[in-house]
Amino acid sequence: MESAARTAPAAVIVAIDGPSGTGKSSTSKAVAAKLGLSYLDTGAQYRAITWWMITNDIDTDDPAAIATAAAKPVIVSGTDPNAPTITVDGLDASGPIRTQEVTAKVSAVSAVPEVRALVTQLQRDTAASAPAGIVVEGRDIGTTVLPDADLKVFLTASPEARAARRSGELKGVDVVSTREALLKRDAADSGRKTSPLAKAADAVEVDTTELTLDQVIECVVTLIEEKRAAK
C-alpha cells in the first residue's frame, strides 16, 4: 500500500502570482510539466476577453460597455502545460491575444468587476476539475481566486531584469520603453479596486532577478514536493 501511495502523490493546487517579466509563465508551465500537473495561464483569459472586446468594437475605455458585453465571449483554456491552448468562441486566440494593442488595453478591461467575477469563476471551476492538481499563474490567484491553495508563490524581479526579459520576448522592442510600460501596468494592476495585484500574506516570495529559469523551477518544485509530503 505504501509504494502505491508513493506513485500517486496527493493532488496539489499551486498559485503563482507576480508582475509581468518575473518568469511566471515559463516557471509555471515547466513546474506543471515536471510534476504531472495541469496548468492555467489566467492572464491569457483576460487577454482573450480584451481581444474579443477590440474585435467586436467594444469601447475599452467604457467600463459600462465592457460590463454589458463581458458574458458574451466563450473562453476555453486547455490545461496541458506542454501545449496550453486558448480559444474564443471556438477560434484559436493564442496568437492574437499577444499583440501590443491587447497588452495596452488588458489592464483596463480586467479592472472591470463584472469581467473579474466571470473569469474568477471560470478559473475556480478549472482548478476544481484538475484530477492531479494544477499550477495556476496570474496576479490575484493566492489572494482572490484560490485563497485556500496548498502553496502560494509570489515571483518578483527588478524592473530592469523584467524589462530585459520582456523585450527579449517581444522582438524589436527596446528595453527602456518596455520598462516604462511594465511599471505603468504594475501601477494599474496594483491600484485597481477589484482583486489588485498583491502578495498573499502566506505566499513564499522568490526574487528571480539573479536566478536562472532552471533555478527558479527547481525552487518551486522543491516547495511543492515539501507540501505534498506534508499532506
Side-chain angles (χ1 to χ4, degrees):
M1 290 294 288
E2 288 184 9
S3 60
R6 288 194 200 100
T7 59
V12 63
I13 292 179
V14 182
I16 299 185
D17 289 306
S20 300
T22 55
K24 261 197 333 277
S25 293
S26 299
T27 299
S28 298
K29 280 187 280 191
V31 167
K34 193 167 186 176
L35 295 177
L37 304 174
S38 297
Y39 159 76
L40 179 61
D41 176 0
T42 63
Q45 295 175 316
Y46 286 108
R47 285 176 170 273
I49 286 190
T50 302
W51 175 66
W52 184 92
M53 296 282 174
I54 293 168
T55 56
N56 284 275
D57 298 321
I58 306 298
D59 184 356
T60 55
D61 292 321
D62 182 352
I66 293 170
T68 299
K72 293 181 180 178
V74 177
I75 313 293
V76 178
S77 298
T79 58
D80 178 353
N82 294 307
T85 59
I86 187 158
T87 62
V88 180
D89 296 336
L91 300 173
D92 176 15
S94 54
I97 66 172
R98 301 296 173 183
T99 64
Q100 285 295 100
E101 184 178 20
V102 170
T103 299
K105 295 180 177 181
V106 66
S107 285
V109 173
S110 62
V112 176
E114 289 81 358
V115 171
R116 296 209 77 82
L118 284 163
V119 178
T120 294
Q121 190 56 54
L122 184 60
Q123 292 161 3
R124 287 172 177 162
D125 291 345
T126 301
S129 64
I134 191 168
V135 178
V136 183
E137 60 137 314
R139 286 169 169 73
D140 65 338
I141 310 307
T143 53
T144 301
V145 179
L146 299 169
D148 296 324
D150 297 298
L151 174 67
K152 302 174 188 178
V153 178
F154 193 86
L155 299 184
T156 64
S158 70
E160 292 71 25
R162 293 167 53 207
R165 291 168 185 167
R166 185 47 56 94
S167 59
E169 294 168 6
L170 305 169
K171 305 301 181 187
V173 178
D174 97 86
V175 175
V176 175
S177 62
T178 302
R179 182 181 183 276
E180 290 175 359
L182 286 173
L183 292 176
K184 183 178 179 182
R185 185 167 180 198
D186 286 353
D189 289 347
S190 300
R192 65 173 177 246
K193 291 181 180 179
T194 306
S195 301
L197 164 65
K199 176 189 169 187
D202 55 347
V204 178
E205 184 170 322
V206 178
D207 188 336
T208 69
T209 304
E210 302 292 337
L211 300 178
T212 65
L213 177 58
D214 284 343
Q215 287 173 323
V216 179
I217 292 166
E218 191 54 43
C219 174
V220 176
V221 165
T222 299
L223 290 169
I224 294 171
E225 288 178 335
E226 288 173 353
K227 284 290 181 182
R228 275 179 159 174
K231 289 189 98 177

